[in-house]
Structures are given as C-alpha cells and as structure tokens.
Amino acid sequence: MLELIKRTLEGDCRVLVADNAVDALSIIYHEKISGLLLDVSMPGIDGLELCRTVRNLPQFQNLPVIMLAARDGLFDKVQGRLAGATEYLTKPFDAAQLRQAVGKFFSINSGAEVKYEI
C-alpha cells in the first residue's frame, strides 16, 4: 500500500511517512503539510483516534484528512466522518482513485507535502 501511494503521488508532491501516531504528530508539528492520509488500522493508536486528536488541535482543524480502510460498510464510513475525516477511501484502490481523492482536497502539483500514516 505504501509503495502504491508513493509511486502514485511522488511526481506531484512530497510524501512523508510515519509508522505510528506519535511520529505522525511530530511530523505534522514540524513540517508544513497539505494533508494527511491515515490508515484506519494502525498499531497502538488507530487512525480514527489519531484523526480525532488532530481535529482537536486548533491549527489542524481544517487540514484535509483522507482515511484509508479495508472496511467499506456504512457504519465504518460514518465512524470515519465522525472522527473528522474529510474523505474515506476503501482499500484496495487503484492509482486513479487515490489521485482523484488527493487532488480533490490537497494542493498537488505545487510541491505539496502529504503525510501518510500506516
């Protein structure tokens, strides 16, 4: 999944990667980012909880957040929206779907930095 994201977006923006919520928060505090891609299933603090945490920080309330999840039920999508996700993308997805979702909310083709949390 990470390789698909990097290959798909690397020509349009810089992709920063973290493998846990603590590292992700550190990156978004120290790097100027245009958006956040969060995997729902993460070790420790899951993507939904991290999204809620980010949304509770005033400087990140309007940051676009795309949740990536294997579950595609209505309840799962509602949980993502309630956590503060801007968009919910169900895995597996292809490069075109990812580019469309990212292009809809992030400023790509302008050197934008996108943070991906797995």
Side-chain angles (χ1 to χ4, degrees):
M1 186 59 53
L2 177 58
E3 284 306 311
L4 170 66
I5 291 168
K6 287 172 76 174
R7 280 194 318 265
T8 301
L9 301 177
E10 68 186 351
D12 299 318
C13 56
R14 185 172 150 216
V15 179
L16 306 172
V17 180
D19 61 4
N20 63 70
V22 173
D23 289 347
L25 285 172
S26 177
I27 288 173
I28 67 171
Y29 270 114
H30 295 100
E31 300 280 342
K32 185 176 184 338
I33 64 169
S34 298
L36 192 59
L37 300 176
L38 287 177
D39 198 320
V40 171
S41 301
M42 299 185 318
I45 299 171
D46 70 15
L48 295 170
E49 184 60 33
L50 180 55
C51 188
R52 284 189 284 272
T53 299
V54 167
R55 287 295 184 229
N56 284 323
L57 301 169
Q59 65 269 43
F60 302 120
Q61 287 181 346
N62 296 316
L63 183 72
V65 177
I66 298 176
M67 300 295 298
L68 307 174
R71 295 172 276 180
D72 67 349
L74 180 60
F75 179 73
D76 301 305
K77 292 176 182 179
V78 169
Q79 277 190 307
R81 295 294 183 162
L82 290 174
T86 312
E87 183 69 74
Y88 191 95
L89 190 58
T90 304
K91 296 187 274 184
F93 50 83
D94 61 30
Q97 291 171 306
L98 178 62
R99 287 181 67 73
Q100 180 181 15
V102 169
K104 188 173 174 183
F105 299 106
F106 304 166
S107 301
I108 62 173
N109 290 324
S110 63
E113 294 188 0
V114 176
K115 166 76 188 64
Y116 177 61
E117 168 64 35
I118 56 171

